[in-house]
Amino acid sequence: MNLTDFFHSAGLGMATGLALIVAIGAQNAFVIRQGIRGEHIVPVVAVCALSDAVLIAAGVLGTGALITAAPDAVVVLRYVGAAFLVTYGVMAARRALRPQSLKSEGPAHDGAKRSLTAAVTTVLALTWLNPHVYLDIALLGSIASAQGAQLQWWFGAGAMLGSIVWFASLGFGARYLRGFFARPLSWRFLDGGIAVTMVVLGTGLALGA
C-alpha cells in the first residue's frame, strides 16, 4: 500500500460520486436556479454538500459493518455494484438520447424571491426525500468496501470532495451558464459523458479492476 493507492481510491471515489450526482434533476435544477437568481447560494450549496457527506459516510460505515459480519458478501456486492453502475449508465444514455431543458425539471420557476428558510427547506426536501439517493449511497458504499479497509475512507473522501466541487460549481457558476443549460443539447453532452463513465466504472468493478 502506497500513496498512489490512496490517491487512486480518492480519485475513483470522486469520479463515481460525480457520475452519480451530475445529472439533470430537481435538486441540481434548484441549485442552478438559485445561482442564476443569486439567492442564498452559500447555504443551499452547504446543505447539499453536508447532506451528501452524511449519506456517503453512512454508506461506507453500513457496508463496512456488513462486510465484517459476512466477508463473502464482498463478492456479491461487487457484482451488484457493477450492475448498478452499468444500469445507471444505460439510463444516462437514454437521457442523452431524449434530453430535457432546465425549465422542464425542478420546482416552479416563478419570479418571486425565496426566503432563506424556504430555500433551505426546499433543498433539504429535494435531497432527503429523493428515493434514488439511497440507492446511490448503497452503491457508493459497496464500491468503497471493494477498496479494502485501508482505502474505503479515501474513496468516501473523494466522493465527498466531488460533491462539494459539483454543488459549488453549480451554485456559484450558474450565472455564467444560464444560456448553456437552458438548451437540451447541453444536457445531452453531459448525460452522454455520465453514461460512458458509469459503464467504464461498472465494467472495471465487475472485472475486479
Side-chain angles (χ1 to χ4, degrees):
M1 197 74 64
N2 54 50
L3 193 60
T4 301
D5 294 324
F6 294 126
F7 282 111
H8 177 268
S9 289
L12 179 61
M14 186 172 185
T16 305
L18 285 172
L20 289 171
I21 65 175
V22 179
I24 189 168
Q27 184 193 47
N28 286 340
F30 180 76
V31 175
I32 292 173
R33 192 168 291 112
Q34 290 298 111
I36 292 172
R37 291 177 172 181
E39 294 177 8
H40 317 303
I41 301 173
V42 172
V44 166
V45 168
V47 167
C48 290
L50 288 173
S51 293
D52 270 11
V54 171
L55 288 165
I56 291 167
V60 174
L61 284 171
T63 305
L66 174 63
I67 297 304
T68 300
D72 292 340
V74 68
V75 177
V76 175
L77 287 172
R78 190 178 76 186
Y79 287 110
V80 170
F84 264 114
L85 282 170
V86 173
T87 300
Y88 208 102
V90 171
M91 292 172 62
R94 291 181 61 186
R95 289 196 304 267
L97 293 174
R98 293 185 296 178
Q100 297 174 322
S101 67
L102 176 61
K103 293 182 180 179
S104 67
E105 290 285 334
H109 45 281
D110 58 88
K113 182 177 177 64
R114 296 178 186 273
S115 68
L116 174 59
T117 300
V120 170
T121 300
T122 299
V123 77
L124 280 171
L126 292 174
T127 301
W128 291 89
L129 299 182
N130 176 13
H132 292 99
V133 73
Y134 300 103
L135 294 176
D136 292 345
I137 294 310
L139 170 60
L140 282 171
S142 67
I143 301 175
S145 69
Q147 305 300 303
Q150 291 183 298
L151 296 176
Q152 63 180 3
W153 282 109
W154 282 82
F155 178 93
M160 293 176 192
L161 178 60
S163 175
I164 294 171
V165 170
W166 172 248
F167 287 117
S169 298
L170 285 186
F172 296 104
R175 67 188 65 187
Y176 304 108
L177 301 174
R178 184 174 186 175
F180 181 78
F181 278 106
R183 299 194 299 268
L185 183 61
S186 304
W187 293 103
R188 170 168 286 173
F189 284 120
L190 190 60
D191 281 324
I194 293 169
V196 172
T197 300
M198 296 294 271
V199 171
V200 169
L201 288 172
T203 302
L205 187 62
L207 297 175

